[in-house]
Amino acid sequence: MPDNTPSKDTKILTADPAGLTRAAQLLQAGELVSFATETVYGLGADARQGEAVAAIYAAKGRPSFNPLIVHAASAEAAQRYVLWNGWAEVLAQAFWPGPLTLVLPLRPKHGISGLVTAGLETLAVRVPAQPSAQRLLQIFDGPVAAPSANPSGRISPTLASHVFAGLNGRIAAIVDDGACGVGLESTIVGLAGEAPILLRPGGLAAEEIEEALGQPLRQRDVQDPLTAPGQLLSHYAPNEQVRLNAAAARNGEVFLGFGAHQGSGPEDLNLSPDGKLTEAAAHLFDYLHQLDGLGRPIAVAPIPDEGLGAAINDRLARAAAPRD
Ligand code: AMP
Ligand code: MG
């Protein structure tokens, strides 16, 4: 069965303690829960569970893996996952909770799935202001990865009924908390480099951020295809050469298998011995990192180009693309 066939009984939960406790339990169980934030309805999954994060992509039908924003209950909670700095402290004090996302270096032993960051060494974090989202995050007490709760290519939902119309049968539950206020995405600021940079304009004006920082934000270079709006600063790419659709490893290569295409070397890995695309997606970036660390070229087994396989192949094609 393709992994995006609608088969779930999507529950509508109320934004009261009983509904939010149920929503937190579902997240813990690796299920997808949509919840209201002050920007748009998010589609949440436990950011530590790779297969739950993969299910976000399957439910949305997203054709490509982009890094996701992790939602936390407070700045203290966010600091479990990222390395904090002076700019982050100033901006969190001034604007959290609120529609501002900060990109910071991952902390050692962060526990966040490689699929959330799409293999990058940085993480986007935000503390949402919507009281029901805050309470859900407090009860859950963990990191929640959440892009907008709409099928890929459709407009972002600002009502529970929009989410239901788009994702009914694909997710476990929706916490109905009425209409979202801002209706705009969060502003994203990168704080992992030598100066703060505006990665995406959004619900919080850049001028307000500059005033709080006491310095101008660097703008991204729109001529650079890797920093075009909506794209990330740079995609994760292995150092070593990657060869796709390989039946087996050749001389010197290490093998990244899938299903019955199994390597025979001691360091070879298999994305999913059972041929499950959700499991393969959950392992993709972590396994690429591991194999890349061996310093040998990487041969990758064929991945079926259906369901999540399309997003996996999209990312593998970028990893294999020639570059200088
Ligand atoms: P959304 O679709 O609203 O969840 O927003 C995700 C956006 O955050 C994407 O445009 C990403 O490019 C950006 N983003 C997330 N994580 C990072 C990161 N580590 N570095 C740069 N941009 C990021
Ligand atoms: Mg979106």
Side-chain angles (χ1 to χ4, degrees), residues 10 12 26 77 127 151 161 175 207 234 236 264 280 282 298:
T10 303
I12 307 293
L26 288 166
V127 176
S161 60
V175 179
E207 290 79 3
S234 65
Y236 164 68
S264 54
I298 303 167

Side-chain angles (χ1 to χ4, degrees), residues 40-41 60 62 147-157 185 200:
V40 300
Y41 272 77
K60 286 177 66 87
R62 256 202 195 178
S148 56
N150 51 286
S152 184
R154 306 250 293 270
I155 57 169
S156 294
E185 298 175 304
R200 179 179 79 186

Side-chain angles (χ1 to χ4, degrees), residues 116-270:
V116 170
T117 59
L120 297 175
E121 305 294 330
T122 53
L123 180 69
V125 286
R126 172 165 113 79
V127 176
Q130 186 92 355
S132 61
Q134 285 257 327
R135 262 179 254 123
L136 172 60
L137 291 164
Q138 277 158 10
I139 298 169
F140 178 64
D141 194 28
V144 174
S148 56
N150 51 286
S152 184
R154 306 250 293 270
I155 57 169
S156 294
T158 52
L159 284 173
S161 60
H162 299 160
V163 180
F164 193 81
L167 298 175
N168 178 27
R170 299 180 194 277
I171 66 178
I174 304 165
V175 179
D176 186 353
D177 194 21
C180 297
V182 178
L184 276 176
E185 298 175 304
S186 62
T187 302
I188 304 181
V189 174
L191 299 177
E194 66 271 26
I197 177 169
L198 182 65
L199 294 174
R200 179 179 79 186
L204 178 68
E207 290 79 3
E208 285 195 59
I209 297 169
E210 292 179 328
E211 195 178 320
L213 286 171
Q215 70 182 93
L217 286 168
R218 257 175 49 202
Q219 304 290 317
R220 17 186 16 181
D221 180 0
V222 288
Q223 302 301 102
D224 179 347
L226 285 181
T227 63
Q231 299 294 300
L232 44 154
L233 249 190
S234 65
H235 288 297
Y236 164 68
N239 291 316
E240 300 302 325
Q241 278 208 355
V242 176
R243 184 168 67 86
L244 304 181
N245 295 313
R250 294 181 193 149
N251 269 353
E253 286 176 337
V254 68
F255 194 67
L256 183 58
F258 177 81
H261 284 103
Q262 181 93 322
S264 54
E267 287 158 325
D268 293 346
L269 295 172
N270 193 319

